[in-house]
Amino acid sequence: MIDELSAMTAYGDKDIIRAFEPLISTALTQFRSVGGRVVGATQEPTKDVIPMRGLFPTKIALRLDQASYVDMCLGEGARDMGAFADKIPAYLPGVAYVKQDGRREPLRSRAPYNTDADIAELVEFCTTRDATVIPLHRTTAADHVEHTRDQPHWSEIDFEALEDDSDEIDEISYFEGEEDTSA
């Protein structure tokens, strides 16, 4: 977790910067495969300051000063797709726009407010050896609903039994660019 990424990439000692950049770039490209995460935060998202910003698979833009910073932070065209991070008012703390690899559109999100007491409770829970762990179950609300309708649940359908020989695709007898004269 790097609180001010630009201190390690632009504003720090040149020897530290030269050693840090290949290490963080390697981490960004390989840590995910072993379950690792890299979190980097900066106040200035320009390319000169954060040269490896394209390697972060998830980008989050909180309130920004300039419209040009939105595309710098989230990627080219993000503002045109509705990520108005430069228009977030000061009275909406925690509102952000999130851009993930594989998704074209940025999403608007809001982080919940956590009090100091909430944070102290979390720290105590995470650092106490006798903490009570609540197991997570992979059930959904739909699992608890009785099936009262006439149709079976999708998991009860035997899809292979529904197939028959007429489901085969007819072979196309003409090539692309030729007209179909069989009709």
Side-chain angles (χ1 to χ4, degrees), residues 111-148:
Y113 176 74
N114 295 303
T115 65
D116 289 344
D118 294 335
I119 296 168
E121 180 183 350
L122 178 63
V123 168
E124 182 181 344
F125 174 79
C126 293
T127 58
T128 305
R129 293 200 184 273
D130 60 339
T132 303
V133 177
I134 301 168
L136 297 176
H137 300 285
R138 295 190 179 268
T139 58
T140 63
D143 293 336
H144 301 292
V145 175
E146 292 184 26
H147 296 286
T148 56

Side-chain angles (χ1 to χ4, degrees), residues 25-38:
S25 296
T26 301
L28 286 167
T29 58
Q30 297 179 9
F31 275 13
R32 194 166 109 188
S33 65
V34 294
R37 298 290 181 259
V38 176

Side-chain angles (χ1 to χ4, degrees), residues 40-43 45 58-75 78-79 82-88 92-100 106-111:
T42 186
Q43 299 294 318
T58 302
K59 299 163 188 79
I60 302 171
L62 293 165
R63 186 174 54 246
L64 297 171
D65 293 336
Q66 299 176 22
S68 63
Y69 280 11
V70 176
D71 286 348
M72 287 181 200
C73 193
L74 299 177
R79 191 167 192 282
F84 299 111
D86 58 312
K87 301 285 186 186
I88 298 171
L92 289 177
V95 171
Y97 288 90
V98 179
K99 177 74 173 71
Q100 293 178 312
L107 299 172
R108 185 174 184 222
S109 65
R110 184 167 188 179

